[in-house]
Amino acid sequence: MQPLKNQVALITGGGRGIGAATAEALARKGAQVIVASRTEAELIATVAALRTAGLKTSLIVLDVADEAAVVAAFSRITAEWGRLDILVNNAAILLSGPFAEMAMSDWDRLLAVNLRGTVLCARQAFRLMRESGGSIVNVSSLGGLPGTDKFPGYAAYTVSKFAITGLTEALAAEGREYNIRVNGVAPGAVDTVMLRQAAPHLRTRTGPADVAKVIAFLCDPAESGCMTGAMLAINSNQ
C-alpha cells in the first residue's frame, strides 16, 4: 500500500534526526521526497541511504531563513515536479544561555530560522497548493505549548515554538478554502543530535522514527483528512 503515491513532499531540516526519519516514513508511503537543509553532506548521506532502500528521494541545499533561496527552491520544485502536496517544516536551531546576557544577534538568528523560515516555506507552499490542496505539518515543541515545563536559558527557542503553534492555527484557518490542511506536532525530548548537544543530561526512549510516524499520519489524507489546526503533543516516554 502506497497511499501517497505520486505525491511530492518537501521536508526542511531533512538531513538528520526527525527530518531524515520523516523522509523515510513518507517515502515508504510512496511519496517523492525532497529533503532540504543547509548541510549538504548530511543530505547526501540521507538520500543515499533512502535510495539504497529503493525509495524516491532527492535533495536541495537550503537556508530557510533566506527568502531568495526559499523562492528559488520552490521554483525548482515547480519546474521539476510541477506540484507540491506535502510540506514538513522541521528546520530549526537551538541556542541557549541566560536571557539577560543573550546577544540579540543570537536571538535574531534563532527566530530567523525557526519562525521566519517556517513562514517563508509555508507561504510558498500555499502558492503551490491553492489549486489542488495539500498538507503542511509544522514541528513545534512541548516547550511551545502553554502549561508545560520550561527550562532556564531557552527563552528564544520557547518563543519561536510558541509562534509555530500560533502560526499553525492561523494558517489552518486560511487554508480551509483551498483544502490545505495545516497541523503540527509538539515533541518533548527526542533522542537526536540536537538534544544530545543542548541537554546531554536528558534521557528519553523516544526516537526520531516515533515522531516521524505521527508526522506521516498528519500528512496522509486517508488517515487524517478530517484534521486541520491540530497540534499533537508527544510526551516522551522518559
Side-chain angles (χ1 to χ4, degrees):
M1 294 292 291
Q2 292 192 315
L4 300 182
K5 186 177 180 180
N6 298 324
Q7 294 204 9
V8 178
L10 172 65
I11 303 165
T12 68
R16 68 184 189 189
I18 292 171
T22 300
E24 180 175 358
L26 295 182
R28 290 194 181 281
K29 281 178 170 278
Q32 166 65 55
V33 173
I34 308 153
V35 288
S37 83
R38 292 174 299 166
T39 309
E40 185 174 18
E42 291 179 347
L43 293 174
I44 291 172
T46 295
V47 167
L50 295 179
R51 287 179 176 173
T52 298
L55 302 175
K56 296 178 289 185
T57 319
S58 59
L59 66 88
I60 295 178
V61 178
L62 175 63
D63 179 355
V64 297
D66 183 335
E67 181 176 3
V70 170
V71 171
F74 277 80
S75 295
R76 175 179 162 186
I77 291 168
T78 303
E80 293 190 17
W81 289 281
R83 60 186 296 154
L84 182 70
D85 304 283
I86 295 166
L87 168 65
V88 179
N89 278 311
N90 175 66
I93 60 174
L94 179 60
L95 303 173
S96 62
F99 175 69
E101 280 72 51
M102 186 174 192
M104 287 311 299
S105 58
D106 287 342
W107 180 282
D108 291 343
R109 178 57 183 163
L110 188 146
L111 269 291
V113 175
N114 295 13
L115 178 56
R116 175 183 166 87
T118 297
V119 170
L120 289 173
C121 290
R123 185 182 64 168
Q124 294 302 124
F126 257 66
R127 293 171 178 175
L128 284 180
M129 293 177 178
R130 279 184 295 197
E131 294 299 321
S132 56
S135 176
I136 298 174
V137 178
N138 297 323
V139 180
S140 182
S141 166
L142 277 185
L145 301 180
T148 59
D149 289 339
K150 307 299 188 291
F151 301 97
Y154 294 97
Y157 184 78
T158 299
V159 167
S160 75
K161 292 304 184 179
F162 259 86
I164 295 302
T165 299
L167 179 68
T168 299
E169 295 182 4
L171 295 186
E174 291 213 17
R176 283 191 180 94
E177 69 173 293
Y178 304 111
N179 195 31
I180 301 173
R181 299 186 303 114
V182 186
N183 295 291
V185 295
V190 181
D191 185 17
T192 62
V193 172
M194 180 182 286
L195 179 72
R196 291 192 291 273
Q197 291 174 345
H201 60 285
L202 289 180
R203 296 291 181 270
T204 178
R205 296 193 302 274
T206 300
D210 298 310
V211 179
K213 290 176 185 177
V214 181
I215 294 173
F217 162 77
L218 291 173
C219 292
D220 187 344
E223 295 185 333
S224 60
C226 63
M227 295 174 62
T228 192
M231 181 61 68
L232 301 185
I234 303 175
N235 290 281
S236 301
N237 52 349
Q238 304 291 337

